[in-house]
Amino acid sequence: MKEITENNINELKEFISSHEYFYIVGHKEPDGDCIASCFGIAGILKKFNKEYKLLSAGPFKRNEIKQYEKKFSSKMDFLDNKDRERTGLFILDCSEISRLGEFDNDFSNIDIFVIDHHKTSNLPEKARGFIDADAPACSYLVQIFYEKLIGPIPLSLANILFFGLCTDTGYFRFLTTGSQEIFMAAARLVSYGVEPRAIYNEINSGKPYSTRQLLGILLSKAERYLDGKLVITYETLEDTKKYGSEGRDSDALYQLLLSSQDVEVAVFLRQDSISTCTGGFRSLDKVDVSQVAAKFGGGGHKNASGMCTDGKLENIIPQIVKEFSKIL
């Protein structure tokens, strides 16, 4: 991982000092890491006595983040040119403006600072920030910025940062050799008063019963390809209508599929509308699924990526199989 240097800290400090008001925003369809990272930056701004507004285009589909939805707005305050000069924009857990979603206003002519950890990301033109594709979670990077810039983290914020770290690491299941700094950072959060068992229960409990039924349907639809190395399952419009779209448990789905013998990659596709599909890609250690996700307008990490593309399931599935045949 990259070291967050004194120069990085000073750059963040200068960005905060040179603006009077801030918008804090993460990617659309936020997850726990995205939400936690936004709260982490908000905590930093509070220490600098700066005003801010948390933004999210939503939707808040994941059961474990529903409690935070009311803290975010999808509406920007109207900004004239003078307002834009004094306003800074923090983009967390992504760097592409297109991934932020739709808002009632726009982000043109606003200074940008990005903190992200996605492999396929680059800083927008003229933006400042810090991207480390080797970091397992954006909330980890925000934690380091907070500790180096301010010091120990208050318990309420430490809880949410631990929550973010756990959601993106599968409660540390995805970490490999060389992850000592991550565990040390987690240990510091525990030293601030975080109770790991409570965070685990917060992430994994309270799933709607309909999601258990849907999980069974998705497992029954799973098909293996490429000598069993690739497994793909899918959700139709009819499935969504019957079981709903709230409280999904895709992590359990990927875990079950990837634990099957010979499986190296698991893909979950959903027909979101008559003409569009979204998809999630997960893999074991060696396979870089971000390569395939990028072919469909998506991206992410080596072992966890996503995409959104035009098309129908029956046409997209053969295309995905073809792309994975090149790397499996």
Side-chain angles (χ1 to χ4, degrees), residues 4 8 11-12 15 23 25-26 37 41 88-97 99-100 110-118 121-132 138 141-142 145:
I4 295 178
N8 299 134
E11 186 177 40
L12 175 59
F15 181 79
Y23 285 113
V25 62
S37 300
I41 290 298
L89 173 66
F90 277 102
I91 299 178
L92 285 307
D93 203 31
C94 77
S95 62
E96 303 94 335
I97 299 293
R99 289 194 64 211
L100 301 181
I110 300 178
D111 289 338
I112 297 173
F113 197 100
V114 172
I115 301 178
D116 190 19
H117 71 126
H118 289 92
S121 296
N122 291 298
L123 287 173
E125 186 178 359
K126 297 182 180 180
R128 288 174 279 181
F130 186 87
I131 298 177
D132 183 3
C138 185
L141 298 176
V142 173
F145 271 111

Side-chain angles (χ1 to χ4, degrees), residues 27-31 34-35 39 55-74 245-248:
H27 56 77
K28 58 186 177 183
E29 293 197 27
D31 55 11
C34 177
I35 295 300
F39 279 119
L55 293 175
S56 178
F60 284 65
K61 292 182 178 180
R62 300 168 186 264
N63 186 66
E64 65 270 20
I65 63 170
K66 274 290 186 181
Q67 60 181 308
Y68 303 113
E69 185 172 7
K70 292 182 179 179
K71 299 286 187 181
F72 290 78
S73 173
S74 61
S245 60
E246 302 299 318
R248 297 304 177 82

Side-chain angles (χ1 to χ4, degrees), residues 8-260:
N8 299 134
I9 297 299
N10 289 335
E11 186 177 40
L12 175 59
K13 187 186 300 184
E14 191 278 328
F15 181 79
I16 294 173
S17 300
S18 60
H19 298 87
E20 300 173 28
Y21 185 81
F22 296 87
Y23 285 113
I24 306 171
V25 62
H27 56 77
K28 58 186 177 183
E29 293 197 27
D31 55 11
D33 185 38
C34 177
I35 295 300
S37 300
C38 290
F39 279 119
I41 290 298
I44 292 174
L45 292 177
K46 286 179 183 178
K47 289 294 184 179
F48 281 83
N49 296 313
K50 297 288 185 175
E51 295 184 24
Y52 64 87
K53 188 172 188 177
L54 293 165
L55 293 175
S56 178
F60 284 65
K61 292 182 178 180
R62 300 168 186 264
N63 186 66
E64 65 270 20
I65 63 170
K66 274 290 186 181
Q67 60 181 308
Y68 303 113
E69 185 172 7
K70 292 182 179 179
K71 299 286 187 181
F72 290 78
S73 173
S74 61
K75 299 181 182 297
M76 296 174 62
D77 300 318
F78 178 78
L79 297 176
D80 58 23
N81 289 335
K82 187 175 181 180
D83 290 331
R84 291 175 184 273
E85 289 178 1
R86 72 183 189 92
T87 300
L89 173 66
F90 277 102
I91 299 178
L92 285 307
D93 203 31
C94 77
S95 62
E96 303 94 335
I97 299 293
S98 60
R99 289 194 64 211
L100 301 181
E102 299 295 326
F103 293 92
D104 291 341
N105 211 326
D106 64 76
F107 299 117
S108 59
N109 300 319
I110 300 178
D111 289 338
I112 297 173
F113 197 100
V114 172
I115 301 178
D116 190 19
H117 71 126
H118 289 92
K119 182 176 181 180
T120 52
S121 296
N122 291 298
L123 287 173
E125 186 178 359
K126 297 182 180 180
R128 288 174 279 181
F130 186 87
I131 298 177
D132 183 3
D134 293 323
C138 185
S139 49
Y140 163 77
L141 298 176
V142 173
Q143 176 187 345
I144 303 305
F145 271 111
Y146 190 107
E147 290 173 325
K148 288 195 172 187
L149 190 59
I150 298 169
I153 301 173
L155 177 56
S156 58
L157 181 55
N159 275 323
I160 188 65
L161 289 174
F162 193 88
F163 169 86
L165 177 62
C166 289
T167 55
D168 251 31
T169 62
Y171 216 90
F172 308 109
R173 297 196 318 272
F174 306 146
L175 298 182
T176 59
T177 302
S179 300
Q180 298 94 321
E181 292 181 24
I182 310 302
F183 283 105
M184 290 172 66
R188 289 196 301 276
L189 294 176
V190 173
S191 76
Y192 302 144
V194 171
E195 184 180 350
R197 180 173 60 179
I199 301 300
Y200 179 87
N201 290 335
E202 182 179 343
I203 294 171
N204 292 285
S205 301
K207 307 290 185 184
Y209 186 71
S210 60
T211 66
R212 310 298 90 184
Q213 295 175 301
L214 178 59
L215 183 59
I217 296 297
L218 297 177
L219 289 172
S220 70
K221 290 183 177 181
E223 295 286 346
R224 296 197 296 175
Y225 303 87
L226 306 178
D227 298 324
K229 296 178 182 178
L230 169 67
V231 61
I232 299 178
T233 189
Y234 58 89
E235 178 182 330
T236 65
L237 289 170
E238 291 75 18
D239 294 330
T240 304
K241 183 178 180 180
K242 182 175 181 179
Y243 297 104
S245 60
E246 302 299 318
R248 297 304 177 82
D249 194 9
S250 55
D251 183 60
L253 176 65
Y254 293 127
Q255 187 177 356
L256 287 168
L257 294 177
L258 286 173
S259 65
S260 302

